[in-house]
Amino acid sequence: MKNFTFHTPTKVFFGKGTEKQVGEIIKSYGFSKVLFHYGSGSIKKSGLYDVVVASLKENGIDYVELGGVEANPKLSLARKAAELAKSEKVDMILAVGGGSVLDSAKAAAAGAYYDCDPWEFSSKKRAPEKALPVGTILTLAASGSEMSDSCVITNEDGWLKRGFNAPSNRPLFSIMNPELTCSLPPYQTSCGCTYILMHTMERYFSHEKHTELTDSISEALMRTVMHNAHVLMEDPQNYDARAEIMWAGSLSHNGLTGCGTAGDWASHQIEHELGGMFDVAHGAGLAAVWGSWARYVYQEEPEKFAHFAIHVMGVPADSGTAEETALAGIRAMEDFFRSINMPVSLSELGVHPTDDQIREMAQKCVFFGHRTVGGFKVLHAEDVEKIYRMA
């Protein structure tokens, strides 16, 4: 087991009706003016917008607002949010929405604090140590951004999708009411479940030994998500299933499932370029490339994939050699993705990249030769290109 630091400063308010407490919570921290940041307007249709505004006003919290965050959040809006936060001298940013809104708020919070272009952090020109406080009301269980130290933004200049991690990215508080996810379309629910699984698998597939507890937590989390994803396919209004998945999303990305491991993250980096070029839903993009990544790397340690097959996917332990069991586990995960209407190839995703586009994505993925990706197997540009072609 590797040395690790586990720090989760985000205060969580979980359960029915908790969004009504937002003004009171903000007031308890001594803040008096916030930037209310949200997406395309679904919170107005659902009535959540009115609930938030009423709570802010009831508690004497002044606010300015900026909507319009899209999936794969854009740098241009994060820049606008940072400028608004500075000009209005807000105390904090309140992000209401899914992971895209939260990431846009995080980028703006760092940019506003340092009075700089938020892209300086994503391009690794600067590493933030502080940021404006961010509070969240979560409406989609997927990214885990409500407790994580990560932030991913897409720069429209070159369509580069880049992330940065910093302790200051972790929200001050997060309000999580599973009821707010009950109206999600089935596709978004499935994308979210896939995203949660992938955050866990990225940490799980590691060569590090003696991580039994961390691995067991990850395995239980993945089994829980898969079971409840199927429940929601039949009963989208099931509160208990929504609650299990929402809490799993937070635990999958707050660092818990990576304690003592090295992690891989190649699938995420490979998908980021798909998202940057084709603007696909992140969860669906991850499902479309994971099987190809897994088949490309599993021989580095087939025993780890075999363990996953047995303890997560339910493949019988006497299925054959470690390699045969590993491949059975990969097929089983792809079968699960299909069972919740997720793609397992680029064609199923609706993406048909040209040879030039594949080469471009592979080069962008490795920062034009300035880095490699992956930990389970280190991947260079030619490896990434092969995985895209397999997918």
Side-chain angles (χ1 to χ4, degrees):
M1 181 182 289
K2 288 183 174 292
N3 292 0
F4 64 89
T5 299
F6 182 56
H7 180 56
T8 54
T10 304
K11 188 171 185 177
V12 173
F13 299 85
F14 192 101
K16 297 179 179 180
T18 45
E19 70 278 9
K20 299 174 183 177
Q21 304 173 30
V22 63
E24 180 183 350
I25 292 168
I26 291 171
K27 186 177 180 179
S28 72
Y29 286 103
F31 302 137
S32 60
K33 187 173 184 179
V34 304
L35 168 58
F36 178 10
H37 200 29
Y38 56 92
S40 60
S42 60
I43 65 168
K44 292 185 177 180
K45 295 176 184 176
S46 69
L48 178 57
Y49 176 92
D50 293 331
V51 171
V52 172
V53 168
S55 184
L56 293 176
K57 290 181 176 178
E58 182 181 341
N59 288 275
I61 307 297
D62 192 13
Y63 70 93
V64 293
E65 63 180 83
L66 179 64
V69 181
E70 304 173 272
N72 294 311
K74 306 302 186 290
L75 175 63
S76 57
L77 193 68
R79 284 170 170 160
K80 187 175 181 180
E83 289 299 323
L84 185 59
K86 288 185 292 184
S87 65
E88 292 289 338
K89 296 181 172 58
V90 304
D91 301 317
M92 65 163 293
I93 300 178
L94 175 64
V96 181
S100 295
V101 176
L102 275 56
D103 279 6
S104 183
K106 290 178 179 183
Y113 186 90
Y114 284 96
D115 192 17
C116 71
D117 185 349
W119 189 246
E120 290 191 19
F121 309 116
S122 295
S123 61
K124 305 299 189 289
K125 292 181 179 178
R126 182 183 297 209
E129 296 181 1
K130 295 183 179 180
L132 285 180
V134 172
T136 85
I137 300 178
L138 191 64
T139 63
L140 173 62
S143 74
S145 191
E146 66 275 4
M147 289 187 75
S148 80
D149 67 354
S150 66
C151 171
V152 180
I153 290 289
T154 297
N155 187 340
E156 300 98 310
D157 183 10
W159 296 105
L160 300 171
K161 188 173 180 179
R162 297 288 182 263
F164 70 96
N165 294 69
S168 56
N169 279 340
R170 293 189 190 271
L172 181 64
F173 68 84
S174 285
I175 295 171
M176 292 186 276
N177 177 2
E179 292 176 309
L180 299 179
T181 68
C182 286
S183 61
L184 288 170
Y187 184 76
Q188 280 191 296
T189 297
S190 294
C191 282
C193 292
T194 301
Y195 205 166
I196 294 166
L197 289 169
M198 286 300 307
H199 273 158
T200 311
M201 287 191 284
E202 294 282 25
R203 295 172 168 91
Y204 181 83
F205 286 105
S206 167
H207 295 301
E208 194 64 31
K209 306 302 180 186
H210 307 297
T211 56
E212 289 89 351
L213 179 57
T214 296
D215 283 353
S216 295
I217 291 171
S218 296
E219 291 160 7
L221 192 154
M222 288 187 278
R223 292 193 301 267
T224 298
V225 170
M226 289 189 288
H227 169 74
N228 286 286
H230 281 148
V231 171
L232 292 177
M233 291 289 289
E234 301 298 325
D235 182 11
Q237 303 300 311
N238 189 304
Y239 175 85
D240 293 324
R242 292 280 180 187
E244 294 283 1
I245 287 172
M246 180 169 271
W247 189 227
S250 297
L251 298 185
S252 74
H253 205 36
N254 72 354
L256 177 65
T257 58
C259 288
T261 73
D264 183 78
W265 298 103
S267 295
H268 264 70
Q269 301 306 318
I270 290 168
E271 195 288 327
H272 279 175
E273 303 312 325
L274 280 174
M277 182 174 288
F278 297 103
D279 202 27
V280 299
H282 189 43
L286 287 167
V289 301
W290 182 80
S292 295
W293 166 83
R295 289 186 177 89
Y296 193 80
V297 308
Y298 82 96
Q299 289 179 322
E300 296 294 305
E301 189 183 334
E303 293 79 10
K304 183 70 175 188
F305 275 86
H307 190 88
F308 167 80
I310 295 165
H311 293 275
V312 179
M313 302 311 303
V315 174
D318 59 355
S319 294
T321 65
E323 289 197 6
E324 290 169 336
T325 305
L327 289 170
I330 295 169
R331 289 193 299 271
M333 178 53 80
E334 289 181 320
D335 288 343
F336 167 76
F337 286 148
R338 286 197 177 102
S339 76
I340 61 170
N341 298 319
M342 284 285 98
V344 297
S345 68
L346 296 189
S347 61
E348 290 182 19
L349 182 63
V351 171
H352 304 277
T354 65
D355 287 344
D356 286 344
Q357 287 173 323
I358 286 175
R359 284 190 288 269
E360 180 182 343
M361 288 191 294
Q363 287 299 321
K364 285 180 176 178
C365 186
V366 299
F367 292 2
F368 302 97
H370 288 94
R371 72 165 184 174
T372 57
V373 296
F376 198 82
K377 177 179 175 69
V378 176
L379 305 177
H380 300 267
E382 56 269 28
D383 301 301
V384 174
E385 188 173 330
K386 289 176 183 177
I387 291 171
Y388 281 130
R389 295 187 188 282
M390 288 172 65

PDB file of all heavy atoms in Angstrom, residues 231-249:
ATOM      1  N   VAL A 231     -32.362  -1.107 -10.952  1.00  0.00           N
ATOM      2  CA  VAL A 231     -33.606  -0.728 -10.272  1.00  0.00           C
ATOM      3  C   VAL A 231     -34.215   0.498 -10.936  1.00  0.00           C
ATOM      4  O   VAL A 231     -35.422   0.561 -11.206  1.00  0.00           O
ATOM      5  CB  VAL A 231     -33.355  -0.462  -8.773  1.00  0.00           C
ATOM      6  CG1 VAL A 231     -34.600   0.148  -8.116  1.00  0.00           C
ATOM      7  CG2 VAL A 231     -32.963  -1.742  -8.050  1.00  0.00           C
ATOM      8  N   LEU A 232     -33.375   1.496 -11.226  1.00  0.00           N
ATOM      9  CA  LEU A 232     -33.874   2.741 -11.810  1.00  0.00           C
ATOM     10  C   LEU A 232     -34.310   2.579 -13.254  1.00  0.00           C
ATOM     11  O   LEU A 232     -35.117   3.384 -13.745  1.00  0.00           O
ATOM     12  CB  LEU A 232     -32.811   3.838 -11.691  1.00  0.00           C
ATOM     13  CG  LEU A 232     -32.529   4.303 -10.256  1.00  0.00           C
ATOM     14  CD1 LEU A 232     -31.410   5.338 -10.233  1.00  0.00           C
ATOM     15  CD2 LEU A 232     -33.782   4.858  -9.605  1.00  0.00           C
ATOM     16  N   MET A 233     -33.807   1.578 -13.948  1.00  0.00           N
ATOM     17  CA  MET A 233     -34.295   1.313 -15.294  1.00  0.00           C
ATOM     18  C   MET A 233     -35.783   0.943 -15.251  1.00  0.00           C
ATOM     19  O   MET A 233     -36.550   1.264 -16.164  1.00  0.00           O
ATOM     20  CB  MET A 233     -33.499   0.169 -15.932  1.00  0.00           C
ATOM     21  CG  MET A 233     -32.050   0.500 -16.259  1.00  0.00           C
ATOM     22  SD  MET A 233     -31.858   1.650 -17.642  1.00  0.00           S
ATOM     23  CE  MET A 233     -32.328   0.599 -19.015  1.00  0.00           C
ATOM     24  N   GLU A 234     -36.183   0.266 -14.176  1.00  0.00           N
ATOM     25  CA  GLU A 234     -37.575  -0.176 -14.029  1.00  0.00           C
ATOM     26  C   GLU A 234     -38.408   0.818 -13.231  1.00  0.00           C
ATOM     27  O   GLU A 234     -39.618   0.951 -13.460  1.00  0.00           O
ATOM     28  CB  GLU A 234     -37.611  -1.547 -13.338  1.00  0.00           C
ATOM     29  CG  GLU A 234     -36.868  -2.646 -14.072  1.00  0.00           C
ATOM     30  CD  GLU A 234     -37.461  -2.927 -15.442  1.00  0.00           C
ATOM     31  OE1 GLU A 234     -38.702  -2.830 -15.578  1.00  0.00           O
ATOM     32  OE2 GLU A 234     -36.681  -3.230 -16.375  1.00  0.00           O
ATOM     33  N   ASP A 235     -37.774   1.515 -12.292  1.00  0.00           N
ATOM     34  CA  ASP A 235     -38.515   2.404 -11.384  1.00  0.00           C
ATOM     35  C   ASP A 235     -37.727   3.695 -11.193  1.00  0.00           C
ATOM     36  O   ASP A 235     -37.047   3.881 -10.184  1.00  0.00           O
ATOM     37  CB  ASP A 235     -38.720   1.686 -10.040  1.00  0.00           C
ATOM     38  CG  ASP A 235     -39.519   2.510  -9.038  1.00  0.00           C
ATOM     39  OD1 ASP A 235     -40.089   3.549  -9.438  1.00  0.00           O
ATOM     40  OD2 ASP A 235     -39.563   2.113  -7.856  1.00  0.00           O
ATOM     41  N   PRO A 236     -37.812   4.631 -12.147  1.00  0.00           N
ATOM     42  CA  PRO A 236     -36.997   5.861 -12.101  1.00  0.00           C
ATOM     43  C   PRO A 236     -37.256   6.739 -10.875  1.00  0.00           C
ATOM     44  O   PRO A 236     -36.403   7.539 -10.518  1.00  0.00           O
ATOM     45  CB  PRO A 236     -37.395   6.598 -13.384  1.00  0.00           C
ATOM     46  CG  PRO A 236     -37.968   5.559 -14.274  1.00  0.00           C
ATOM     47  CD  PRO A 236     -38.624   4.569 -13.377  1.00  0.00           C
ATOM     48  N   GLN A 237     -38.410   6.586 -10.233  1.00  0.00           N
ATOM     49  CA  GLN A 237     -38.762   7.413  -9.083  1.00  0.00           C
ATOM     50  C   GLN A 237     -38.327   6.799  -7.753  1.00  0.00           C
ATOM     51  O   GLN A 237     -38.642   7.347  -6.693  1.00  0.00           O
ATOM     52  CB  GLN A 237     -40.273   7.646  -9.060  1.00  0.00           C
ATOM     53  CG  GLN A 237     -40.835   8.285 -10.318  1.00  0.00           C
ATOM     54  CD  GLN A 237     -40.221   9.636 -10.596  1.00  0.00           C
ATOM     55  OE1 GLN A 237     -40.144  10.494  -9.722  1.00  0.00           O
ATOM     56  NE2 GLN A 237     -39.752   9.836 -11.832  1.00  0.00           N
ATOM     57  N   ASN A 238     -37.613   5.695  -7.786  1.00  0.00           N
ATOM     58  CA  ASN A 238     -37.238   4.997  -6.560  1.00  0.00           C
ATOM     59  C   ASN A 238     -36.224   5.826  -5.775  1.00  0.00           C
ATOM     60  O   ASN A 238     -35.055   5.928  -6.150  1.00  0.00           O
ATOM     61  CB  ASN A 238     -36.659   3.618  -6.902  1.00  0.00           C
ATOM     62  CG  ASN A 238     -36.458   2.743  -5.686  1.00  0.00           C
ATOM     63  OD1 ASN A 238     -35.779   3.119  -4.739  1.00  0.00           O
ATOM     64  ND2 ASN A 238     -37.055   1.559  -5.720  1.00  0.00           N
ATOM     65  N   TYR A 239     -36.680   6.422  -4.670  1.00  0.00           N
ATOM     66  CA  TYR A 239     -35.825   7.320  -3.882  1.00  0.00           C
ATOM     67  C   TYR A 239     -34.620   6.585  -3.308  1.00  0.00           C
ATOM     68  O   TYR A 239     -33.496   7.105  -3.329  1.00  0.00           O
ATOM     69  CB  TYR A 239     -36.621   7.956  -2.741  1.00  0.00           C
ATOM     70  CG  TYR A 239     -35.762   8.798  -1.825  1.00  0.00           C
ATOM     71  CD1 TYR A 239     -35.469  10.127  -2.128  1.00  0.00           C
ATOM     72  CD2 TYR A 239     -35.209   8.257  -0.665  1.00  0.00           C
ATOM     73  CE1 TYR A 239     -34.657  10.898  -1.301  1.00  0.00           C
ATOM     74  CE2 TYR A 239     -34.395   9.001   0.173  1.00  0.00           C
ATOM     75  CZ  TYR A 239     -34.122  10.328  -0.151  1.00  0.00           C
ATOM     76  OH  TYR A 239     -33.306  11.083   0.674  1.00  0.00           O
ATOM     77  N   ASP A 240     -34.843   5.401  -2.788  1.00  0.00           N
ATOM     78  CA  ASP A 240     -33.741   4.679  -2.144  1.00  0.00           C
ATOM     79  C   ASP A 240     -32.625   4.356  -3.130  1.00  0.00           C
ATOM     80  O   ASP A 240     -31.435   4.470  -2.805  1.00  0.00           O
ATOM     81  CB  ASP A 240     -34.265   3.397  -1.487  1.00  0.00           C
ATOM     82  CG  ASP A 240     -35.187   3.693  -0.315  1.00  0.00           C
ATOM     83  OD1 ASP A 240     -34.938   4.672   0.404  1.00  0.00           O
ATOM     84  OD2 ASP A 240     -36.169   2.950  -0.132  1.00  0.00           O
ATOM     85  N   ALA A 241     -32.994   3.958  -4.351  1.00  0.00           N
ATOM     86  CA  ALA A 241     -31.976   3.686  -5.371  1.00  0.00           C
ATOM     87  C   ALA A 241     -31.261   4.968  -5.765  1.00  0.00           C
ATOM     88  O   ALA A 241     -30.037   4.976  -5.954  1.00  0.00           O
ATOM     89  CB  ALA A 241     -32.614   3.033  -6.594  1.00  0.00           C
ATOM     90  N   ARG A 242     -32.012   6.063  -5.899  1.00  0.00           N
ATOM     91  CA  ARG A 242     -31.393   7.363  -6.206  1.00  0.00           C
ATOM     92  C   ARG A 242     -30.411   7.766  -5.110  1.00  0.00           C
ATOM     93  O   ARG A 242     -29.332   8.299  -5.388  1.00  0.00           O
ATOM     94  CB  ARG A 242     -32.476   8.432  -6.350  1.00  0.00           C
ATOM     95  CG  ARG A 242     -33.382   8.260  -7.556  1.00  0.00           C
ATOM     96  CD  ARG A 242     -32.734   8.753  -8.819  1.00  0.00           C
ATOM     97  NE  ARG A 242     -33.615   8.582  -9.974  1.00  0.00           N
ATOM     98  CZ  ARG A 242     -33.229   8.817 -11.226  1.00  0.00           C
ATOM     99  NH1 ARG A 242     -31.997   9.207 -11.483  1.00  0.00           N
ATOM    100  NH2 ARG A 242     -34.069   8.650 -12.226  1.00  0.00           N
ATOM    101  N   ALA A 243     -30.793   7.512  -3.859  1.00  0.00           N
ATOM    102  CA  ALA A 243     -29.927   7.883  -2.737  1.00  0.00           C
ATOM    103  C   ALA A 243     -28.633   7.072  -2.737  1.00  0.00           C
ATOM    104  O   ALA A 243     -27.535   7.608  -2.503  1.00  0.00           O
ATOM    105  CB  ALA A 243     -30.676   7.692  -1.421  1.00  0.00           C
ATOM    106  N   GLU A 244     -28.755   5.767  -2.977  1.00  0.00           N
ATOM    107  CA  GLU A 244     -27.555   4.918  -3.008  1.00  0.00           C
ATOM    108  C   GLU A 244     -26.587   5.409  -4.087  1.00  0.00           C
ATOM    109  O   GLU A 244     -25.372   5.496  -3.862  1.00  0.00           O
ATOM    110  CB  GLU A 244     -27.951   3.464  -3.284  1.00  0.00           C
ATOM    111  CG  GLU A 244     -28.764   2.805  -2.180  1.00  0.00           C
ATOM    112  CD  GLU A 244     -27.927   2.384  -0.980  1.00  0.00           C
ATOM    113  OE1 GLU A 244     -26.706   2.610  -0.975  1.00  0.00           O
ATOM    114  OE2 GLU A 244     -28.514   1.811  -0.038  1.00  0.00           O
ATOM    115  N   ILE A 245     -27.118   5.717  -5.252  1.00  0.00           N
ATOM    116  CA  ILE A 245     -26.261   6.135  -6.365  1.00  0.00           C
ATOM    117  C   ILE A 245     -25.669   7.514  -6.108  1.00  0.00           C
ATOM    118  O   ILE A 245     -24.490   7.757  -6.400  1.00  0.00           O
ATOM    119  CB  ILE A 245     -27.050   6.076  -7.687  1.00  0.00           C
ATOM    120  CG1 ILE A 245     -27.241   4.610  -8.095  1.00  0.00           C
ATOM    121  CG2 ILE A 245     -26.340   6.848  -8.798  1.00  0.00           C
ATOM    122  CD1 ILE A 245     -28.143   4.393  -9.265  1.00  0.00           C
ATOM    123  N   MET A 246     -26.452   8.423  -5.542  1.00  0.00           N
ATOM    124  CA  MET A 246     -25.923   9.761  -5.271  1.00  0.00           C
ATOM    125  C   MET A 246     -24.763   9.701  -4.272  1.00  0.00           C
ATOM    126  O   MET A 246     -23.729  10.347  -4.471  1.00  0.00           O
ATOM    127  CB  MET A 246     -27.029  10.670  -4.744  1.00  0.00           C
ATOM    128  CG  MET A 246     -26.546  12.090  -4.444  1.00  0.00           C
ATOM    129  SD  MET A 246     -27.891  13.257  -4.116  1.00  0.00           S
ATOM    130  CE  MET A 246     -28.231  13.827  -5.788  1.00  0.00           C
ATOM    131  N   TRP A 247     -24.910   8.917  -3.215  1.00  0.00           N
ATOM    132  CA  TRP A 247     -23.835   8.810  -2.219  1.00  0.00           C
ATOM    133  C   TRP A 247     -22.630   8.073  -2.802  1.00  0.00           C
ATOM    134  O   TRP A 247     -21.479   8.441  -2.542  1.00  0.00           O
ATOM    135  CB  TRP A 247     -24.350   8.119  -0.970  1.00  0.00           C
ATOM    136  CG  TRP A 247     -23.416   8.125   0.211  1.00  0.00           C
ATOM    137  CD1 TRP A 247     -23.100   7.069   1.002  1.00  0.00           C
ATOM    138  CD2 TRP A 247     -22.675   9.242   0.736  1.00  0.00           C
ATOM    139  NE1 TRP A 247     -22.220   7.447   1.992  1.00  0.00           N
ATOM    140  CE2 TRP A 247     -21.937   8.771   1.856  1.00  0.00           C
ATOM    141  CE3 TRP A 247     -22.558  10.579   0.377  1.00  0.00           C
ATOM    142  CZ2 TRP A 247     -21.101   9.595   2.601  1.00  0.00           C
ATOM    143  CZ3 TRP A 247     -21.721  11.409   1.123  1.00  0.00           C
ATOM    144  CH2 TRP A 247     -21.000  10.916   2.221  1.00  0.00           C
ATOM    145  N   ALA A 248     -22.887   7.081  -3.639  1.00  0.00           N
ATOM    146  CA  ALA A 248     -21.786   6.372  -4.299  1.00  0.00           C
ATOM    147  C   ALA A 248     -20.993   7.327  -5.182  1.00  0.00           C
ATOM    148  O   ALA A 248     -19.759   7.243  -5.252  1.00  0.00           O
ATOM    149  CB  ALA A 248     -22.332   5.214  -5.137  1.00  0.00           C
ATOM    150  N   GLY A 249     -21.685   8.243  -5.869  1.00  0.00           N
ATOM    151  CA  GLY A 249     -20.990   9.204  -6.725  1.00  0.00           C
ATOM    152  C   GLY A 249     -20.006  10.048  -5.947  1.00  0.00           C
ATOM    153  O   GLY A 249     -18.891  10.335  -6.417  1.00  0.00           O
TER     154      GLY A 249
END
